[in-house]
Every structure is written in structure tokens, then in C-alpha cells.
Amino acid sequence: MVRLITHNLLACHVRGCNSNNFPLQFQDVQIGLREAEFNPDFLRGFLPKIEWNALVDSARQLGDTSLPAEQPVMIDDDFLKTLHHVLLEIHVEEGAMVCPNCKHVYPISNGIPNMLLADHEIG
Amino acid sequence: MSRPELQAPPEIYYGDIEAKKYTQNTRIQQIQADMTYRALELLNLPPDQPAFLLDIGCGSGLSGEILEEEGHTWVGVDVAPSMLEVALERELEGDLFLQDIGQGFGFRPGSFDGAISVSVIQWLLNAETSHPSSSPPRRLTRFFTTLHSALRNPSRAVLQFYPTSDDQIQLITSIAQKAGFGGGVVVDYPNSKKAKKVFLCLFVGSGGGQQVPK
Ligand SMILES: [Zn+2]
């Protein structure tokens, strides 16, 4: 499975593709929702790693508009619960992620993205 | 029987049947669990703080399951689809990627609070194809360089592996150092042929405090 928590950390790794290679764009996705245990300590620790604009955009691509456009300054439990759902409970089951720069397609099948590159794409 | 990594590439060796056998073998489960706990210990994470960890060559999720039990969130990568399928069936929490670690990672800088790997990186010592990009030093260099970047500063990566010679340990540690890692090798039970275990303990920055534990 791939969720926004890892999608938000993932850039294209094709040889020479070093700019505008993040975030990967979702294409033809099927999603599933699965409850996960709410862990506010983990989320607070993870917050500094998030690219906020990318997360908001990607969540919208998956049909979720619950996140505020700007990352709030005050981190309360309501916000963390929204973030928890977006990061950890939306599973992309099928579809693809496409690099905005080189257009490499990373297919997602049965929840698992295929990150394998062809010989000429390896750095 | 010769060592698995000398017989075929991992995604071939661990086909459907091998993947299930591996996962269901209680002796393998026990060894894998012991090494995962030891790797976690060597990772020296801040106490009582849930971490975001990378499991390199996660296979069917035997170590991921332990990371979960210890309260951490993990991401697993593996090159064997059959292994990942077993991991899916076991309904673990970690996100899974089909990935050849010798091609390098695309994770943004500082993504992970640590990384572990159990019985995997010896596979990088075998050339997968005759293509120049797949020579072992090139594969090791991409692996360590992109791993170093994917880890936060300070943090650690603890990689247990099965070297066949001191030359292999030398090659692997020298490439890891060139990629920017500090740290070194920890050998458990060095005098026992059977129980001996080699852990590569790599530091990003200070590695989060102490010296390599003995
Ligand atoms: Zn690209």
C-alpha cells in the first residue's frame, strides 16, 4: 500500500531527473480507506518533514479537501486528527504516480508502487 | 547448497514458494527476530519516541512486524514481488515498495529517523546484468549515497549482512564512508561459526550520540 505519508517523501529517482521531480502526480487511482491507530506523538515528530503544499495538492488529487491551505501555527488535536486521516488512512490501491518533470510512470498495483528503473534510467 | 545470493538474483530466488517457505520457517523467524531486536538496539533511537524507519529488503515483513510492535512506523522496500505479496497478506501497517536498492532511492533528504536491514546487502555484491550500471561498486555507491541523503541528521542505519570475506566488508565499508557515513562494523559472537553476525552500523552526523556499542 502507499499512503500520503510516504508519497510526500518521494521524488523521482530517474537518472538526471533532479528538479521539478516532486511531488509525483497521481493518475487513475483507486483508493481504499483503512483505520489506523491515532498517535499524536508520532505526528508531532513527523510534522517538520512534511512539504505542506505538496501534501495539500496530493490529498486533493485523492479527493480529500480537509487540510487547510496553510500549515497551522497552533497544533491542536483536531488538526492532528485531520492530518492523521490524510497521512495514514487513505490507501492508494491501484493507479500510477507520474513524475512532473521526466514523465516516468511508477505503476501502483495491489497497493505496491513499482519503483524499478530500466538500465538507461539508472543514475 | 551454495549461498542464495550466488544462485540467482533475489527476485528470482524468492519466488512464490521460497517466499512462503522463508516466512513460515520458525527457525528463520527466530533468527530474523533476534537480529531485528539487535539492530533496533544498535540504532539507539531516542527512548519512548515513535520513529519513522526504513526497512531495506523488508521481505515478507518479519522485521516490520517487530518495528510495529515497538511503536514505530515503517516503510519497506524489496525487489522480490512474491515476498511483498506475503507481506500484504500478513496485513502489516508499513507502506511497501517494489524497489531494487542497487538502483538507489528517491526519498527526499532527511525522510527517515533511521534504517535497518536484515540479511540483504550481500545481494548487492553480485552483478545483476552485464550492463555497466549494475557492477557491484556502482550499485553499492548508489545505494549508500541515496540512503545517506534519505536519513535525517543525526541518525543511524544498521545493516546486518553475510559477508563471505574480509575483502567484502572492506569494500562495503569504504563505499559507505565515501557516501558520507561514519561508524563501522559490529561483530556479534565473532568466535562462533554458526552464531557470528556482522552488523554495519552507519552514522549520519554524530549518529545520535554514543560510540558504536560493543
Ligand atoms: Zn523524473
Side-chain angles (χ1 to χ4, degrees):
Chain A
M1 58 212 181
V2 62
R3 297 174 291 183
L4 289 178
I5 188 168
T6 34
H7 172 268
N8 194 256
L9 300 172
L10 203 59
C12 180
H13 67 133
V14 167
R15 169 188 195 159
C17 186
N18 303 316
S19 60
N20 186 35
N21 60 348
F22 170 88
L24 303 175
Q25 304 293 304
F26 286 116
Q27 202 174 62
D28 304 326
V29 292
Q30 289 171 31
I31 59 169
L33 300 178
R34 238 171 73 189
E35 251 177 71
E37 201 181 319
F38 178 57
N39 185 339
D41 286 342
F42 171 75
L43 291 167
R44 282 178 197 277
F46 193 80
L47 260 177
K49 293 178 181 162
I50 296 176
E51 283 277 351
W52 191 258
N53 292 339
L55 181 63
V56 173
D57 280 356
S58 307
R60 286 198 179 138
Q61 287 176 33
L62 301 182
D64 188 297
T65 54
S66 60
L67 293 176
E70 305 265 327
Q71 186 173 335
V73 183
M74 275 291 291
I75 309 297
D76 57 21
D77 256 23
D78 275 353
F79 167 69
L80 288 178
K81 276 181 183 150
T82 306
L83 186 65
H84 167 75
H85 176 71
V86 171
L87 286 180
L88 294 160
E89 296 189 323
I90 306 174
H91 295 257
V92 180
E93 307 284 3
E94 300 289 331
M97 299 181 292
V98 183
C99 172
N101 182 41
C102 76
K103 311 297 174 199
H104 181 94
V105 177
Y106 298 95
I108 302 171
S109 164
N110 206 5
I112 299 177
N114 181 340
M115 307 305 288
L116 299 176
L117 304 176
D119 279 342
H120 69 274
E121 294 172 317
I122 303 171
Chain B
M1 205 58 168
S2 70
R3 302 163 65 110
E5 67 271 22
L6 300 177
Q7 294 178 42
E11 68 276 23
I12 311 285
Y13 182 81
Y14 291 113
D16 290 345
I17 295 166
E18 256 336 290
K20 285 218 167 65
K21 262 207 290 195
Y22 187 91
T23 312
Q24 287 163 3
N25 181 317
T26 47
R27 194 182 65 91
I28 288 176
Q29 282 172 12
Q30 188 55 50
I31 295 174
Q32 183 99 3
D34 290 347
M35 292 195 289
T36 305
Y37 284 116
R38 178 66 170 138
L40 264 174
E41 189 184 358
L42 293 170
L43 214 47
N44 196 33
L45 294 164
D48 306 321
Q49 212 171 296
F52 189 65
L53 303 175
L54 179 63
D55 185 351
I56 298 159
C58 62
S60 53
L62 291 173
S63 23
E65 193 172 1
I66 290 171
L67 300 180
E68 256 168 65
E69 284 165 12
E70 297 293 310
H72 303 302
T73 302
W74 60 285
V75 172
V77 302
D78 204 284
V79 75
S82 301
M83 281 289 202
L84 292 173
E85 231 157 81
V86 179
L88 274 185
E89 284 166 17
R90 299 175 68 233
E91 299 196 331
L92 303 169
E93 294 289 323
D95 283 4
L96 304 169
F97 289 88
L98 178 62
Q99 189 150 17
D100 175 357
I101 57 171
Q103 297 184 343
F105 299 108
F107 295 112
R108 285 201 283 114
S111 291
F112 296 97
D113 304 321
I116 67 157
S117 177
V118 177
S119 312
V120 171
I121 61 168
Q122 68 271 6
W123 292 93
L124 286 171
L125 295 163
N126 302 295
E128 300 280 306
T129 66
S130 59
H131 197 274
S133 68
S134 77
S135 76
R138 295 268 300 266
R139 288 171 60 74
L140 285 163
T141 300
R142 280 190 299 267
F143 168 66
F144 283 119
T145 310
T146 55
L147 174 63
H148 186 271
S149 145
L151 290 166
R152 63 180 280 187
N153 185 357
S155 70
R156 291 184 184 186
V158 176
L159 319 170
Q160 177 274 329
F161 72 113
Y162 291 111
T164 46
S165 67
D166 287 348
D167 283 355
Q168 288 193 341
I169 297 181
Q170 192 58 42
L171 175 71
I172 286 182
T173 43
S174 72
I175 294 178
Q177 278 164 6
K178 268 188 220 140
F181 282 109
V185 166
V186 172
V187 182
D188 286 356
Y189 309 106
N191 300 318
S192 158
K193 228 178 171 177
K194 265 196 166 157
K196 181 176 167 178
K197 294 286 178 302
V198 178
F199 292 84
L200 191 57
C201 289
L202 300 176
F203 295 3
V204 178
S206 66
Q210 309 161 2
Q211 293 296 303
V212 178
K214 285 280 167 332

